[in-house]
């Protein structure tokens, strides 16, 4: 069985790559989408990464956002990201669009990969809008490996769909599907018949991911891999009240109140924890569970990982049991 996601190998606190990089290139790649290339000001090589990886970008000290790397993993001189301007968003994309130009300096941390490309003879890639960014290097990797693959790429309008020209070189392996011309993506045609030799990789807005997940319910376990840019809807926690967390490495026992996260409770107690999105989508705060049963409320872990219960995202997940023992 192919697992949906391999747990990230988290470095010790403070050991993750973090640096101030500068913008070397800026290009408008679609209506409302800019691509930036980031490099080390001193010309030093950047850490290696693999398709599906993302970085944390801080256009301002109090703002951290996650963006997928969409360049060439073999190029260690620069990292490319693409950012959609979201007028109704929290402001991070507006800062990128308005403030970052060639020569600008910006804080970066990572890379981190919760959406790694597993080996397979055949792939179906499904992208919606800016969700094409992590798919770009996957397509290149599949092509280089000699695998059979197909990309179905949907967007509201053709002009809003980034990297169409770059993808055109792949010919009919790529299907461009603007909604205003052709309607919604033909998911029944693409996913109606489960295929044992095919892995499905999908990234895009929540409605697309939900529909793909529903249609892949009959596919082999582990065939579907998804990445979310925003947290998926979750219900109420299993436990309405608080619970106890034993931090094994720190030797502290903490009471987590109903209105506080494990992450914030640990930070209040002076425990340093790497974190970023604080909404369960980036995987930065992944923590080993030694005892107890987590109430998983993240958008990162696969179903098999949730059932195993040996890691959790402490920014949003809670406890099903009165007590958790964590590697904190």
């Amino acid at each position: 069985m192919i697992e949906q996601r391999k747990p990230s190998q988290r470095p010790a606190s403070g050991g993750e790559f973090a640096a101030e990089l500068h913008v070397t290139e800026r290009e408008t790649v679609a209506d409302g989408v800019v691509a930036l290339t980031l490099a080390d000001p001193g010309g030093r090589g950047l850490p290696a990464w693999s398709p599906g990886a993302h970085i944390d970008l801080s256009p301002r000290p109090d703002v951290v956002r996650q963006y997928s790397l969409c360049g060439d993993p073999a190029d260690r001189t620069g990292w490319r990201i693409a950012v959609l301007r979201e007028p109704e968003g929290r402001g991070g994309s507006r800062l990128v669009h308005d403030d970052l130009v060639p020569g600008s300096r910006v804080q970066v941390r990572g890379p981190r990969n919760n959406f790694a490309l597993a080996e397979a003879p055949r792939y179906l890639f499904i992208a919606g809008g800016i969700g094409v960014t992590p798919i770009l290097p996957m397509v290149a990797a599949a092509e280089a490996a000699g695998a059979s693959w197909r990309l179905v790429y949907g967007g509201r309008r053709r002009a809003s769909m980034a990297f169409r020209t770059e993808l055109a070189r792949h010919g009919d392996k790529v299907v461009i599907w603007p909604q205003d011309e052709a309607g919604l993506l033909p998911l029944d045609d693409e996913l109606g018949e489960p295929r044992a030799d095919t892995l499905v990789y999908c990234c895009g807005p929540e409605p697309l991911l939900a529909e793909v997940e529903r249609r892949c319910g009959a596919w082999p376990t582990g065939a579907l891999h998804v990445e979310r840019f925003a947290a998926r809807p979750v219900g109420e926690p299993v436990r309405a009240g608080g619970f106890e967390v034993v931090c094994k490495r720190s030797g502290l026992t903490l009471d987590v109140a109903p209105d506080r996260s494990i992450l914030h409770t640990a930070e209040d107690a002076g425990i340093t924890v790497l974190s970023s999105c604080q909404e369960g989508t980036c995987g930065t705060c992944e923590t080993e569970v030694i005892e107890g049963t987590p109430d998983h409320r993240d958008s990162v872990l696969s179903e098999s990982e949730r059932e195993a219960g040996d890691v959790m995202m402490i920014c949003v997940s809670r406890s099903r049991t009165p007590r958790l023992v964590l590697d904190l």
Side-chain angles (χ1 to χ4, degrees), residues 247-307:
C247 305
K248 188 168 184 180
R249 276 191 289 120
S250 304
L252 298 176
T253 298
L254 309 176
D255 291 320
V256 181
D259 61 345
R260 294 290 284 171
S261 68
I262 299 174
L263 172 65
H264 289 149
T265 303
E267 289 176 336
D268 290 345
I271 299 173
T272 300
V273 184
L274 283 177
S275 67
S276 182
C277 72
Q278 301 194 14
E279 59 179 21
T281 59
C282 74
T284 309
C285 66
E286 183 177 302
T287 300
E288 181 183 352
V289 179
I290 299 170
E291 293 180 24
T293 304
D295 176 12
H296 295 293
R297 302 172 63 77
D298 65 274
S299 302
V300 177
L301 295 176
S302 67
E303 287 305 316
S304 59
E305 289 169 334
R306 289 168 180 250
E307 291 173 7

Side-chain angles (χ1 to χ4, degrees), residues 48-54 68-74 111-118 123 125 133-142 144 201 227:
W49 61 280
S50 57
H54 68 266
S68 297
L69 293 172
C70 58
D72 179 2
R112 198 175 303 113
N113 199 338
N114 301 313
F115 193 43
L117 185 67
Y123 299 94
F125 300 109
T133 51
I135 301 296
L136 282 178
M138 291 185 175
V139 161
Y201 280 80
E227 182 168 64

